[in-house]
Amino acid sequence: MLRLQEEIKKYQESFKQKVPQDIQELMLKATKKLQEQKLSKNALKVGDKAITFKLKNANYKEICLEEQLKENDFIVLNFYRGQWCPYCNLELQALQSINAQLKALNGKIIAISPQTPDNSLTTKEKNELEFEVLSDEFNKVAKEYGLVFSLDEELRPIYKSFGIDIITANNEDSFELPMPATFVINKNKEIIYSFVDEDYTKRSEPQTILDIIQKNK
């Protein structure tokens, strides 16, 4: 199992060495601005009922949460920003590292981003993922889960300078993204675990997800 926080720390150390200080400060400022808005307070919480949906996977096949809950005791629902986000890739790889253990507990991972199905396929192949990666066009589902924000205008040219093209990735120009979030949903559609953070560098540790499921088994 990958220890996600350790992998994130390694990446951050490398990032700090490569990226100019003024850009790092702008990025931190944008994160603090989001934190001050306390957007995560609007997200679904433990005890809430999960909102069901139908979304296309990387092969354009429609996946229905309701049907998945009939077949599995637990769904681990992960909202990520896109395959252009290094933190998201680290998180998806960490989730893949517990995929077999989750299956043994009759659990299933479903990852969701606003990317097009083609870009979802790129994400799946790039990270060698064995679970569903769904396309949430215009963040419709992410909005229902209370996760959506608009990327700070000061960050847009910075992301572009990093070679990140969010407009093409999502095939729309709103610059709306989901806050990184992980929910564990039981067979009764009840959310038994919720992790949402305005700071995109913070993610749920895979071991925490396993512990929650084993406790509720």
Side-chain angles (χ1 to χ4, degrees):
M1 181 195 306
L2 287 174
R3 292 190 181 274
L4 184 51
Q5 302 314 316
E6 287 177 14
E7 296 301 315
I8 284 174
K9 197 176 173 186
K10 277 186 214 167
Y11 173 77
Q12 284 175 320
E13 284 166 6
S14 164
F15 181 81
K16 282 173 187 173
Q17 289 168 7
K18 292 177 191 169
V19 177
Q21 189 64 35
D22 59 332
I23 288 177
Q24 289 184 48
E25 283 169 11
L26 263 176
M27 293 175 83
L28 281 171
K29 184 181 155 192
T31 298
K32 279 178 185 168
K33 207 189 288 184
L34 264 187
Q35 287 171 323
E36 283 163 10
Q37 291 174 44
K38 296 185 164 67
L39 296 180
S40 59
K41 281 192 171 179
N42 301 321
L44 293 190
K45 296 170 179 62
V46 171
D48 288 342
K49 285 282 182 184
I51 296 163
T52 56
F53 56 79
K54 288 180 184 176
L55 292 174
K56 288 174 185 167
N57 70 6
N59 299 311
Y60 289 83
K61 180 189 171 189
E62 208 166 60
I63 303 297
C64 171
L65 179 61
E66 193 109 33
E67 292 301 316
Q68 296 301 314
L69 283 166
K70 284 177 187 172
E71 296 167 17
N72 301 277
D73 291 338
F74 302 93
I75 296 292
V76 177
L77 196 58
N78 177 259
F79 288 86
Y80 70 101
R81 305 193 308 160
Q83 58 100 7
W84 48 267
C85 170
Y87 294 93
C88 296
N89 291 321
L90 289 173
E91 181 179 33
L92 291 169
Q93 289 160 18
L95 286 171
Q96 176 59 38
S97 77
I98 62 166
N99 193 44
Q101 288 163 280
L102 281 170
K103 278 185 177 178
L105 294 163
N106 202 27
K108 183 169 185 173
I109 303 167
I110 296 176
I112 296 177
S113 84
Q115 299 178 120
T116 62
D118 287 347
N119 283 309
S120 293
L121 182 61
T122 304
T123 303
K124 198 171 166 76
E125 290 173 345
K126 178 181 176 180
N127 295 295
E128 299 179 354
L129 306 177
E130 294 166 2
F131 50 81
E132 294 288 6
V133 181
L134 309 186
S135 178
D136 180 22
E137 291 180 291
F138 300 101
N139 285 290
K140 285 175 188 171
V141 175
K143 281 174 182 167
E144 291 184 317
Y145 276 73
L147 303 173
V148 177
F149 71 99
S150 187
L151 186 69
D152 193 292
E153 287 191 16
E154 284 190 281
L155 289 183
R156 295 174 193 184
I158 292 170
Y159 276 36
K160 198 172 181 182
S161 74
F162 291 163
I164 296 168
D165 186 352
I166 292 172
I167 292 172
T168 300
N170 299 350
N171 196 31
E172 56 102 4
D173 62 1
S174 71
F175 283 95
E176 286 185 336
L177 297 170
M179 287 182 285
T182 303
F183 301 96
V184 177
I185 303 163
N186 69 14
K187 221 164 181 60
N188 300 321
K189 297 183 201 166
E190 184 187 359
I191 293 172
I192 59 169
Y193 173 72
S194 168
F195 177 95
V196 185
D197 204 301
E198 291 89 354
D199 183 348
Y200 63 90
T201 70
K202 292 180 180 170
R203 308 293 170 119
S204 178
E205 195 66 50
Q207 186 61 55
T208 304
I209 296 164
L210 283 175
D211 291 346
I212 291 286
I213 289 175
Q214 281 164 338
K215 188 180 168 185
N216 285 272
K217 190 71 179 152

